Amino acid sequence: MKKCLLFDCDGTLVDSERLCNQGFVIKFAELGIKLDVDLLMFKYRGWELDKILADLSCEFDVRLPNDFAAKYRVVVAELFESELRPIEGIKAALDLLPYPKAVVSNGPIFKIKQALELCGLSDYFGSHIYSAYDIGIWKPDPRIYEFAAKDMGFFDSKDCIVIEDGLVGVEAGYKAGMQTLFYNRFNQTCVFSSVVSFNAMVELPGLINAS
């Protein structure tokens, strides 16, 4: 069977979740609001930025400046430059997976490319990078994965495998009818029975080759 591997980026390929949420801590502290990075990671993994900001501004009853998101992106980019690392074991796993691969992310294209470049992962994916901002579809909408698969030349969902670390992305992969593997480092409960959870990237090649 042909296989197309569709990877999420943040938290799946690159260990960026804490840095992204640290950006929220830094920017909201400027407004006198104290956030907890661990709680942010648990609650918002995989969410669209605009929805996170809307939720936080509502929770703390604060109106964010118009340039808040742009300045947040600058902070995160600086954190990436100094601290971003690939997910442990991901390079070894990718080396053992000789299938067409793509990145499908809710993040903007410049952020995805920066992350892949800094972590030495760009060559695994080439130009096969799909951003929700370019497509106009955000997870958990399954059409983002359907679009990427078709653009890669895979028209049968059964030929595609989604690798995700957050429930929002897992839902998108599952509802697209694709085999979905959940890199579940935080042991979250997944309601989709066919989704396979795993805790370390060393397991990934075996799971994919067995699919």
Side-chain angles (χ1 to χ4, degrees):
M1 182 181 71
K2 296 186 297 181
K3 294 180 183 177
C4 176
L5 309 183
L6 304 174
F7 287 84
D8 176 48
C9 186
D10 291 313
T12 301
L13 294 171
V14 300
D15 203 1
S16 55
E17 292 283 356
R18 178 167 289 276
L19 300 181
C20 291
N21 286 290
Q22 186 63 36
F24 292 129
V25 172
I26 292 169
K27 291 303 297 177
F28 274 86
E30 296 174 359
L31 302 175
I33 298 170
K34 184 176 180 180
L35 300 178
D36 182 280
V37 69
D38 292 313
L39 291 178
L40 292 171
M41 287 177 64
F42 183 80
K43 183 175 182 180
Y44 294 119
R45 189 176 306 109
W47 280 40
E48 177 187 348
L49 177 60
D50 285 350
K51 290 184 177 179
I52 296 174
L53 295 180
D55 196 63
L56 288 172
S57 61
C58 180
E59 179 180 351
F60 293 98
D61 192 24
V62 61
R63 182 170 182 174
L64 301 179
N66 291 335
D67 62 353
F68 188 91
K71 290 186 174 180
Y72 161 79
R73 294 284 192 200
V74 171
V75 170
V76 171
E78 291 171 350
L79 290 171
F80 275 20
E81 289 287 344
S82 61
E83 300 182 41
L84 187 64
R85 301 291 182 271
I87 288 291
E88 183 178 357
I90 189 60
K91 288 186 179 180
L94 291 171
D95 284 335
L96 294 173
L97 295 168
Y99 308 105
K101 305 175 186 70
V103 181
V104 185
S105 171
N106 268 359
I109 194 73
F110 66 84
K111 178 188 172 192
I112 303 168
K113 288 183 175 181
Q114 181 198 25
L116 296 177
E117 172 111 13
L118 289 170
C119 292
L121 300 176
S122 299
D123 289 347
Y124 291 103
F125 302 97
S127 62
H128 299 142
I129 299 174
Y130 299 91
S131 164
Y133 286 82
D134 294 335
I135 301 169
I137 303 169
W138 278 261
K139 304 171 190 176
D141 191 323
R143 293 178 298 158
I144 188 171
Y145 275 118
E146 293 167 358
F147 177 95
K150 290 175 181 176
D151 195 67
M152 291 280 289
F154 290 80
F155 297 92
D156 189 338
S157 62
K158 294 182 177 62
D159 292 334
C160 301
I161 300 175
V162 168
I163 303 95
E164 277 277 358
D165 78 302
L167 292 172
V168 170
V170 165
E171 180 179 348
Y174 172 83
K175 289 185 175 178
M178 300 173 183
Q179 174 62 58
T180 302
L181 305 179
F182 182 15
Y183 179 45
N184 191 5
R185 288 188 293 169
F186 300 95
N187 296 312
Q188 292 180 275
T189 300
C190 178
V191 299
F192 306 116
S193 59
S194 66
V195 171
V196 176
S197 291
F198 67 105
N199 300 107
M201 283 299 171
V202 68
E203 303 173 57
L204 185 59
L207 291 172
I208 287 175
N209 290 325
S211 298

